[in-house]
Amino acid sequence: MLYVWNCDKLIFKPKINSMKKILLFSFMLLSALVTESWAQERTISGTVTSAEDGSTMPGVNVVLKGTTNGTITDIDGNYKLSIPTEGGILSFSFVGLTTEEVEIGTQSVIDLAMSADVKQLSEVVVTAMGISRDKQALGYAVSSVSSENIEQKSESDLGRVLKGKASGVQIQQQSGMSGSGTSIIIRGMNTFSGSNQPLFIVDGVPFSGATNEQGDFVDGNNGSSRFLDLDPNNIEDVSVLKGLAAATLYGTQGRNGVILITTKTGSSNGAVKKTEITVSSSLFANEIASMPNYQNEYGGGFDQSFGWFFSNWGPAFEEGGSAGWGNQPAITVGANGNPVLEHPFSTASSATGIPAAFPEYAGREYDWKPYDGVKDFFRTGIIKNNSINIRGASSDGMVSYNVSYGNLKDEGFTPGNTLDRNTVTIGGSAKLTNKFRINATMNYAKTDFKTPPVAASYGSNVDGENASIFGNLFYTPRSIDLMGIPYQNPITGESVYYRQNNSIQHPLWTVHNAGNIQDTHRAFGGVTLLYEISENLNVNFRYGHDVYSENNVNFSNKGGKTGSVANRSGVYQTWNNTNTIDDLNLAVNGNYDLGQDFDISFTAGATSRRDVFDQNGVKSTGQQVFNVLRHSNFAAQDEIQTFRERNILAAYGQAEVGFKDFTYMTLAARKDWVSNLSEENRSIAYPSASISFLPFKAISALKDNNVVDFMKLRVGYGTSANFPTGYPVASTLVLNTQTFQDAAGKDVVTNTSGNVLGNSDLKPEKIGELEFGLEARMLDNRLSLDFSMYNRTTTDLIVDRPLDPSTGFTITKTNVGEIKSNGIEVDLAYDWITNNDGLNFTTSLNWFKNQAIVVDLGLDTDIVVYAGFSTLGNAAIKDEPLGTMIGTTIDRDADGNYLVNAAGSYQIKEGNNIIGNATPDFIMNLNNSLSYKNINLNILFSWTQGGDIYTQTVQTLLGRGVINDEGVDRANSFILPGVNPDGTKNTTQINNSTYYFSNVLYGPDEMGVYDATVFRLQEVSLGYTLPQKILDKTPFGVVSLTFTGNNLWFYTPYMPKNSNFDPNVAGLGIGNGAGFEYLNGPSSRRYGLSLKASF
Amino acid sequence: MKKIIYLIKLTLFSGVLLLGSCESMELDLTENPNLLAPSQASPDFFLSSIQVDFAKEVVEPFGLTGGQVTRIDYMNGRNYLNAYSPNSFDREWRYAYQRMMSDIHLMNTLAVESELWYHVAMGQVMEAYTLLTLVDFYGNVPYSEAFLGSENLNPSVDDGASVYAAAIALLDDAILNFGKTAVDPQYDFYYDGDWTKWIKAANTIKMKAYMATRLVDASAITKFDAIVASGDYISTTADDFQFRWGTNEIQPDTRHPRYADSYTSTGAERYMSNSLMDYMTGKDPGAYSTPVNFDPRTLFYFYRQSSATPGVDGEPADEETLECGLYTAPNHYAGFTYCGVARGWWGRDHGNDNGIPPDGFLRALAGVYPAGGALDDATYDSKVNGDGNGGNGITPIMLASWVNFMIAETQMIVGNDAAAKTAMFEGISKSMDKVTNSATTTDRFDWLFGTATNDAYPDTVALHYGPAVGYTINQFDSIFQVDLSADWDAATTTGKWDILAMQYFVASYGNGIDAYNFYRRTGYPTTLQPNIEPNPGGFIRSFYYPANFANNNSSVTQKTGVDVQVFWDNNASSPGFPIAN
């Protein structure tokens, strides 16, 4: 061994041989450092700026014409070049800009402003590890979204703002609640056990986009996705690295694609020498977008008889007719001449304590009429968003800085739901000497999310431990005065409501007495130190740190009526999640011309990343004094504690070779070592290669055509791997100090064997992807096309394999099988009208399709249920698409006829039957952008075709009889098509409530599955920029006013019309489950005005 | 490879120096800090967990299911094929194998090393009972290939007979181990360290196993009789093998599961079985002043929250709380109770799957025995959590009274009616004694049996709403036994079997495992209330395999139905047997 590493010191144990190696290494390092200029006759220098906005231009090629002598401008647009004594022409070139040639003469300083080449539209994009590259050189797909498409939007969640703006990216909200989680999946799922969420890199350093849900979907899984801590108004641009060839340098972390975010703070572009202050201020309204169209003919009850039921199958609000209230002894004509009932508080069971607590309601009349409680329950939330950004640079341009502050107050449409966010960012860069440069950003965010509890509900309370605000809301019978019936017992504080045994928790009680809070303090940022060894070679060291501290509270006062006994006794849970990412990265970057036709740029580096998740808290139960939320006010305490750490060490390298200006090849590789697997399975190497070829530049015969202005063909192959999280190889033992009590009431301590079978042979999941692409611009650059096709294979899938408990374990992580997925992404844009000083009209479209098929699940299993319930969830089944949904179906006979039982209802077939597939057939977004002088209008329309959803909301609305199925008369009866078990044709008549209640709501799961096709007006913005003339006399540089709206309209052709259900909801939370919804919450519609001014 | 890692570490060393930390570089973080390691286990801690799991996760749920299909408890499901979906047994299966039996095996490794023979023996008894029950409910189940972890992820099933044999071998071994000298475990929740009673329990479980297999094993009855002859079995209620629950509501919830489901702040979540309440309240519910066949245990088993059952026996119907009271019984219910039992024994018919009306504070609740609820004192209060005995009940596993019923069965099959009758009445008396002692003395005498307190319950009220005032419990018991004795003497052999079966079922209340076995073994009683569904399919002869077993184990395929007979059931196939279906 050469040297011994231990954590505190590096101990060299030199042997003669090793000593030599070290000396050699040191010499190489030194020689690299001293390699400097070559003797030349004179030096010319200058700064290149953009003619458009005066910003400095890095990366511009500066060549002495006719020679290979040249350089590129540095990050501040400066260049310096040694040239022979006299004459010569300097050529400045940059892709997308008009090449400029300048006679040198005797000048020693040549500054230049370069302008865009309209014929040569091209762009520089940020790629892995922050390397800026000319897009034409890329052999893989990258989507970019710039600040104007992100800022001043009514959605405050960056993830949701990006929805529809890049092809291949699927964005799904958990619900329309402000601050609820958001799922981002790029190019479909690769795995069903690991995370499919992308890596976030903000200003070069890793950033956690995790969603720490407060529980599981059954007990309530509120929690924000942590990219919510970014203020969209402070984002300069977003690059989405979709494929593996693009993300190789990030290793395992980049397997799901990478979202590279450059904040305004971290951006080195556009530093202006004067100070510029930009202020934006927005005010939006936030409304429920998916309010059902309730019927107002019938009220609460069952079988057209009145009762204080959950269901709305009671008598009509009309007096006459067979279903009229006139037939009900309980409903009479009251003192006010209207039909009345005895108030539910007057008739409630005395055991509920209601009659005693509300003596004033004894004998009181209660109007039998439809109430619009659900509508009145919601509010219009107000969203205020203010931000200020200040940037500038020292007069010599050596130091630049950017400071921003953002404040968001986002009020949900649900009472009790708010999101407050304050962000402060400071960033800057400085040239320390000619050789050193330092860049640093520091961000602080405080995000406070508060919501009433939301948990899976089934049209009859919740099934989990806690309450859910929506669990008892949407099916409120029409005759229930939701907003008028008191919700709190004045003596005990407990929930009171209309049901005679008080078994429904009043939604208003839930709003006022239960909630989930997630208050997050977050600091993140990085420091990059760059040392220029020579013009062609630099070394940079980067340290990134991201820490957040989530303070979670889950509380419910005592007196709730749903969930566990513990919940009803009052619960108070407080815990903190501290998540830390430490990222170190050291890289050498070089850039050389190799003769006339070849140039090479390369990066090689080493990196380490440490992730620590530390959760600590207390859960208390048994509240003593009502409404006092301190642990000391609770009878019993229990611990909440989890700790996870994982380190990744890696070495990586990338080389790009360009041949002339039409062929580029990129080779990259990375090797990761990950700390939570056994040593032999701990590391893996990821090679990748990609080629970009520009035929219209390469083949002279093609150059002069009038149709195609630019074409690029690309092909890339990349690999990655998915490492498990947690401690999958460990064998464990569970200790419980409170399993039971002995006769004396003393807690009994127990051991039980761990249910997870540790697997020391567990290997990382391997992913390979082949990608083809075509990019083209045609018809005078009016039409542009970016087409990608990929084929992805995941092997050695890490499966949370459920085990038969008779093995002694219930689950193990193991490697099995294979998933193959393929997809197509198309970005198409056409400029209908381009009139630089007048009217411009562009339509752009992106289209995406992905399908993943489970090819193999290993030898001894044919189904793995990976999300949801084990009998109603998402399953991987051999030869079926990933995203397949399983559940119970209508039982069928050998001929496929439905089986109907003697009661006239469908017979249920148990087992894991396929009931749908959650994966959409395709997703399309269409954006029309129209501008005329100072006015611009953007309309983003999205279309998700297909994909199924099992929706409890729709089942419940129909099954409880609060909405009418279109074209169905409640007075008519049904005879379900099918046969009786004895083979005869079913002739049993059932009424409406039996059909909807017993078959739709509580029948086979299949009955709750709908095609989730949705057309949506995703985003509209109409902006007006004040003319420059007016501003000339004011201190303002730019003033613009924008109206934006989000989710203004949607249409679901296959959903029951009156449900008005929005399938943009993730009932299983932010994970791999899809296509299930358990009354998780409606979607939101937001609109309002935003003002932006800079001075 | 190592060198490369060193090189990376070296390369990043500068950064580490800057930050003063190098924990980022550690590459061996495979141990889970959130849980203990298996080497830290304690045999006492294991044994405590095993004992609680045995009662709570094995006997209770299987006992309830067995009761539901035999109408001791209410079953929700119009169709036998769908009444219990495979996944409804996932929890039992998981607890039986992954928790309880796995823990026993892990504990044994430690216990044998330390010669903790009582630990081992208690584990053996509980494992044996669990194995017998698994076979009784599912037929062939894994055992010889089970618990092997990664060595066998797909254990094959063993023939039920061989699992039974293994269970009996475990019991034999347990009897030997109880005879040894060893350190007592920290807790014995069953007999508090009385090892002679444990030996009796082991022998009695063997009797139950022999009885179960009597149709397929000619020597079973001989073996059964041998234990009877030895006298070393549970013969008095003091020997009863049972688990005692507590009253703590949360953290941990130590209450009887049936109590927790019945006594809540929003009323009952569980229905009582109309079929059993109808039988126990006797032939003439209208004449409680001179009750016929009124079983006094009724008032201990069920607590009435209402004095009347709407729509039943002349009471006005209430569509809001008991809709079926509006309707007449379906044709196939002729001769059976329908909708509810009069005077507040308000439960549900076998198979009824209707939605739940707001009747949680109106329907009958689980009573003081065995759930630890309230004694029915004809006050008809609505009960919430904390009421009654607070859940401080028992789960019966093997009772002295049940042994008498088994003995009665051995006499019936040899045609010795008289001996059967003697044994049966002995069982009834033991059960009566046990049940009536489940409420405190004061309760019993404050109540309408007994000596006084007629002031508290004026005749008019009591006569209208409940059994007669003035009888002592012993008088009630003797009236009941006299009635039953007359019935027995008047009955045909089939009638006698029906009486024996019904009385066995009544005594089994709280654990229907043996009742379910009896029903499939003998086909009696023939008089049970049928499923509300006229065509419910054949009776469940064994249950579907649990979903987590059938779906995750490639060596097994799910049963195509619920008509598969377990190895000891060689009776005619379903439907047709048992007669009551």
Side-chain angles (χ1 to χ4, degrees), chain A residues 394-664:
Chain A
S394 62
S395 54
D396 61 357
M398 300 291 269
V399 178
S400 65
Y401 65 90
N402 188 314
V403 179
S404 81
Y405 170 72
N407 172 271
L408 167 77
K409 282 196 177 309
D410 184 332
E411 217 173 50
F413 52 79
T414 309
N417 173 217
T418 54
L419 172 69
D420 289 336
R421 179 176 64 204
N422 283 286
T423 51
V424 180
T425 68
I426 303 166
S429 67
K431 247 173 131 170
L432 300 180
T433 68
N434 280 342
K435 301 289 180 194
F436 278 104
R437 193 187 318 276
I438 187 161
N439 266 307
T441 57
M442 177 68 212
N443 303 265
Y444 172 77
K446 183 165 190 308
T447 309
D448 296 346
F449 167 52
K450 186 170 193 279
T451 171
V454 179
S457 311
Y458 308 85
S460 170
N461 280 329
V462 293
D463 204 40
E465 288 192 356
N466 301 314
S468 177
I469 184 67
F470 301 121
N472 295 323
L473 180 67
F474 281 103
Y475 58 85
T476 304
R478 301 303 293 152
S479 53
I480 297 303
D481 186 8
L482 169 68
M483 302 305 285
I485 296 176
Y487 60 83
Q488 197 149 17
N489 183 316
I491 300 164
T492 61
E494 71 191 303
S495 166
V496 291
Y497 205 18
Y498 70 92
R499 185 135 161 123
Q500 300 295 281
N501 59 340
N502 202 20
S503 62
I504 303 179
Q505 186 161 313
H506 199 308
L508 288 173
W509 191 90
T510 310
V511 167
H512 291 101
N513 291 284
N516 301 147
I517 297 170
Q518 204 171 50
D519 283 355
T520 305
H521 295 266
R522 183 171 196 163
F524 60 95
V527 183
T528 307
L529 190 65
L530 184 132
Y531 179 76
E532 242 177 65
I533 296 167
S534 73
E535 283 160 356
N536 304 100
L537 195 66
N538 67 56
V539 178
N540 75 64
F541 173 76
R542 194 175 60 228
Y543 171 65
H545 187 72
D546 173 20
V547 58
Y548 62 75
S549 163
E550 266 179 1
N551 290 296
N552 290 271
V553 180
N554 168 28
F555 71 94
S556 175
N557 281 323
K558 65 176 176 181
K561 298 296 166 190
T562 57
S564 63
V565 188
N567 186 57
R568 295 177 192 200
S569 77
V571 291
Y572 184 51
Q573 287 172 269
T574 59
W575 72 98
N576 173 275
N577 296 329
T578 303
N579 191 80
T580 315
I581 304 174
D582 278 298
D583 187 73
L584 292 170
N585 187 55
L586 185 75
V588 181
N589 304 298
N591 197 333
Y592 293 94
D593 273 338
L594 306 170
Q596 209 155 1
D597 294 334
F598 285 98
D599 60 279
I600 180 168
S601 61
F602 64 85
T603 299
T607 180
S608 81
R609 170 171 167 157
R610 173 172 172 77
D611 282 82
V612 179
F613 177 82
D614 194 0
Q615 179 179 65
N616 289 290
V618 178
K619 173 182 181 174
S620 289
T621 51
Q623 191 180 39
Q624 302 300 307
V625 177
F626 185 80
N627 205 21
V628 176
L629 293 170
R630 302 300 296 165
H631 288 291
S632 55
N633 186 44
F634 286 78
Q637 277 73 37
D638 206 355
E639 75 291 335
I640 299 173
Q641 190 172 36
T642 310
F643 180 82
R644 278 196 304 273
E645 58 180 339
R646 192 175 77 162
N647 293 336
I648 300 174
L649 276 186
Y652 62 87
Q654 174 170 289
E656 179 197 308
V657 182
F659 176 65
K660 295 191 170 164
D661 61 348
F662 57 78
T663 306
Y664 303 87

Side-chain angles (χ1 to χ4, degrees), chain B residues 504-563:
Chain B
Y504 191 9
F505 283 16
V506 169
S508 297
Y509 184 66
N511 176 355
I513 294 173
D514 292 329
Y516 178 46
N517 285 0
F518 181 93
Y519 190 52
R520 288 175 293 168
R521 184 165 73 236
T522 66
Y524 296 108
T526 59
T527 52
L528 291 175
Q529 183 192 42
N531 197 306
I532 193 80
E533 163 78 34
N535 305 307
F539 183 72
I540 302 168
R541 299 297 277 274
S542 70
F543 290 87
Y544 280 122
Y545 280 136
N548 56 355
F549 169 45
N551 295 354
N552 303 332
N553 184 333
S554 62
S555 303
V556 68
T557 39
Q558 182 58 274
K559 300 171 188 175
T560 51
V562 293
D563 53 355

Side-chain angles (χ1 to χ4, degrees), chain A residues 48 175 228 329 539 557 790 922 925 1054:
Chain A
V48 181
S175 76
L228 188 65
V539 178
N557 281 323
Y790 60 87
F922 63 80
N925 297 290
Y1054 305 111

